[in-house]
Amino acid sequence: MGSHNKEAVRAKIKDYLYEKYGEEFVVDRIGQRRRRGDVFYQARIYPEAIIGTNKWWDDYYYASASVAKKSFGRLGGVGDSYSYVMMNKTGEEYLLPKVKDIFGDRVRLKVDSEIEIWGREDVIVKEYRKRDPSSDGTDSFIGYKESDFKKAKERVVNDPEKNRLFLDLDVYIFDRIEDDNEKEKRRKDIFEFVQYLKEEGLFEYLEMRIVFVDERVLANSYDEFEREVNSSHKVRKYIEEENTMVELPPEDLRKEMSRKLEKEIDGMSEEELLANMEGIRKDELNYDDLRKWNSQYQCLIYSIGILEEKYPTSLEQNPDVAREYEKFKDVGIGPNLEYVYIE
């Protein structure tokens, strides 16, 4: 594709995004694609406002846009997927105040949400993506590109039979659980949050991980130890309480890491710890980058609706996993067996 065509594509996408979202976007990595015989241009997009912030180079805030390629060099309409980013951002804005009210300020929230509506493709006038490209056109649930989480929630609350909201939440709490009393308090916190989600109409298709991360990851020199841990030779260790074997970094490295990082965070202010927490990118809030070695405990919450929709085989094989979370005892907190820190 010539530079002239590329710049025309870039300009068309930028104008479209500014009109739709009211802000300037970077449009790059423009290339030509083909799908079912149709040719189109596709580009990566992200807001200019995130340049220089910790959101820059964070996949969570990136999306794509496409432009149909017409005959004689003409360009067709523009479509984009940034509405999914907006849906998740507005979801975080909606939920974060309650999350902090229950769990405290040392939290990071990661939202992955999608609304589906019941109807026919040819009568849905807003943007959508079909859930099943091979559908015969009969009424079915269709993925809907809503960019406002609150509006999506209101659709579900007002008409739950024809709207459903899939909500995948990661709540990262950067605070160790020191004893059984604190563990019980955290279980009560989780139960309270689940009841809130029920009251808000957000529980029906919920998948949630609440992860308690050792606060020592917030120390300034944590990155140096992270590299050393990842490159170290792993040693097999038997966990008697769980009757299982795991592989951990050498004990002397774990002791050194625990002691030095503990000393470092003891000398840091709460403001410094929170600033380092906020500096963790959303795409680092995952198993490989953060949870594998640093999570002390975690709680997994699955609604019956999400089990039936996404994990029917697991539900069939183990029906006891289905819970309504109407009782406090339904909430369980389990240890991470690959936790590297030594108290």
Side-chain angles (χ1 to χ4, degrees):
M1 178 173 57
S3 59
H4 175 72
N5 285 347
K6 183 178 291 188
E7 291 310 310
V9 169
R10 191 191 318 277
K12 189 174 183 69
I13 293 176
K14 285 175 70 73
D15 289 345
Y16 160 87
L17 293 173
Y18 185 82
E19 182 177 350
K20 184 175 181 180
Y21 298 108
E23 61 177 316
E24 297 288 350
F25 278 74
V26 173
V27 179
D28 63 9
R29 299 187 182 180
I30 300 172
Q32 191 167 288
R33 304 285 189 273
R34 183 183 296 272
R35 183 188 299 129
R36 299 192 189 97
D38 296 326
V39 180
F40 61 95
Y41 300 112
Q42 183 169 298
R44 182 180 70 168
I45 60 172
Y46 59 92
E48 289 186 0
I50 72 173
I51 296 175
T53 73
N54 72 318
K55 298 177 181 179
W56 202 18
W57 307 118
D58 187 337
D59 290 342
Y60 187 79
Y61 298 98
Y62 285 57
S64 63
S66 60
V67 183
K69 182 181 180 182
K70 301 292 186 179
S71 58
F72 307 109
R74 294 175 301 144
L75 298 176
V78 182
D80 75 287
S81 64
Y82 193 71
S83 54
Y84 296 119
V85 178
M86 288 292 295
M87 175 82 160
N88 294 334
K89 285 174 60 179
T90 54
E92 179 180 354
E93 291 167 3
Y94 188 87
L95 294 169
L96 190 58
K98 189 65 176 182
V99 170
K100 287 190 173 183
D101 180 58
I102 293 176
F103 297 108
D105 288 335
R106 288 195 191 179
V107 293
R108 292 297 307 277
L109 182 61
K110 187 175 181 180
V111 179
D112 186 3
S113 57
E114 180 181 1
I115 187 170
E116 291 185 346
I117 64 177
W118 182 264
R120 293 184 56 136
E121 174 186 353
D122 56 355
V123 298
I124 297 174
V125 296
K126 283 195 173 184
E127 292 178 280
Y128 67 89
R129 66 171 179 80
K130 282 187 63 58
R131 204 156 166 244
D132 181 8
S134 64
S135 172
D136 60 5
T138 57
D139 284 0
S140 61
F141 277 106
I142 299 171
Y144 188 81
K145 286 187 177 180
E146 174 61 72
S147 60
D148 188 313
F149 182 87
K150 188 174 181 179
K151 289 182 179 179
K153 185 187 86 73
E154 289 172 352
R155 290 182 68 103
V156 172
V157 171
N158 293 334
D159 192 356
E161 296 299 318
K162 293 187 177 180
N163 298 272
R164 56 188 191 181
L165 178 60
F166 290 84
L167 184 58
D168 191 334
L169 289 181
D170 286 325
V171 182
Y172 283 75
I173 303 169
F174 293 80
D175 190 15
R176 296 198 299 272
I177 294 177
E178 301 291 354
D179 52 40
D180 288 340
N181 288 334
E182 187 173 351
K183 185 188 290 187
E184 287 302 289
K185 178 188 179 304
R186 289 303 194 175
R187 287 181 64 205
K188 292 176 181 177
D189 291 342
I190 295 168
F191 183 74
E192 180 183 350
F193 186 55
V194 170
Q195 304 318 303
Y196 162 78
L197 294 173
K198 284 186 173 185
E199 293 167 3
E200 292 288 305
L202 299 172
F203 180 76
E204 187 68 22
Y205 297 98
L206 173 71
E207 178 175 355
M208 179 166 64
R209 286 156 295 279
I210 297 183
V211 184
F212 294 89
V213 179
D214 197 296
E215 62 202 18
R216 281 170 277 198
V217 303
L218 305 178
N220 293 326
S221 59
Y222 165 74
D223 288 346
E224 300 171 19
F225 279 104
E226 180 187 29
R227 288 190 289 270
E228 194 170 353
V229 163
N230 289 336
S231 63
S232 67
H233 173 72
K234 305 304 183 289
V235 179
R236 289 171 63 83
K237 178 178 174 62
Y238 178 68
I239 308 296
E240 186 173 353
E241 297 84 351
E242 302 293 331
N243 189 29
T244 190
M245 190 77 70
V246 297
E247 292 188 345
L248 292 169
E251 187 170 349
D252 56 349
L253 172 59
R254 296 168 59 214
K255 286 181 177 179
E256 179 189 14
M257 176 181 180
S258 302
R259 177 177 56 82
K260 288 188 175 181
L261 294 183
E262 181 72 47
K263 182 177 180 180
E264 188 171 341
I265 65 165
D266 284 346
M268 297 174 66
S269 68
E270 185 67 14
E271 290 74 18
E272 290 173 316
L273 293 172
L274 291 175
N276 285 356
M277 181 192 75
E278 292 295 336
I280 298 173
R281 295 189 333 214
K282 286 290 177 68
D283 62 3
E284 294 173 325
L285 297 177
N286 59 55
Y287 175 77
D288 289 330
D289 287 311
L290 194 61
R291 295 204 309 267
K292 180 175 176 62
W293 304 117
N294 300 294
S295 60
Q296 183 192 22
Y297 289 95
Q298 69 175 0
C299 173
L300 305 178
I301 303 287
Y302 297 92
S303 69
I304 294 176
I306 205 69
L307 288 171
E308 292 174 340
E309 183 70 19
K310 290 183 63 176
Y311 309 105
T313 302
S314 297
L315 180 60
E316 183 179 344
Q317 294 174 349
N318 185 15
D320 291 342
V321 300
R323 300 174 184 176
E324 294 287 356
Y325 293 95
E326 294 178 347
K327 301 176 182 178
F328 170 64
K329 68 177 184 179
D330 288 338
V331 175
I333 296 180
N336 171 26
L337 303 183
E338 295 177 314
Y339 180 59
V340 300
Y341 297 92
I342 297 175
E343 307 302 329

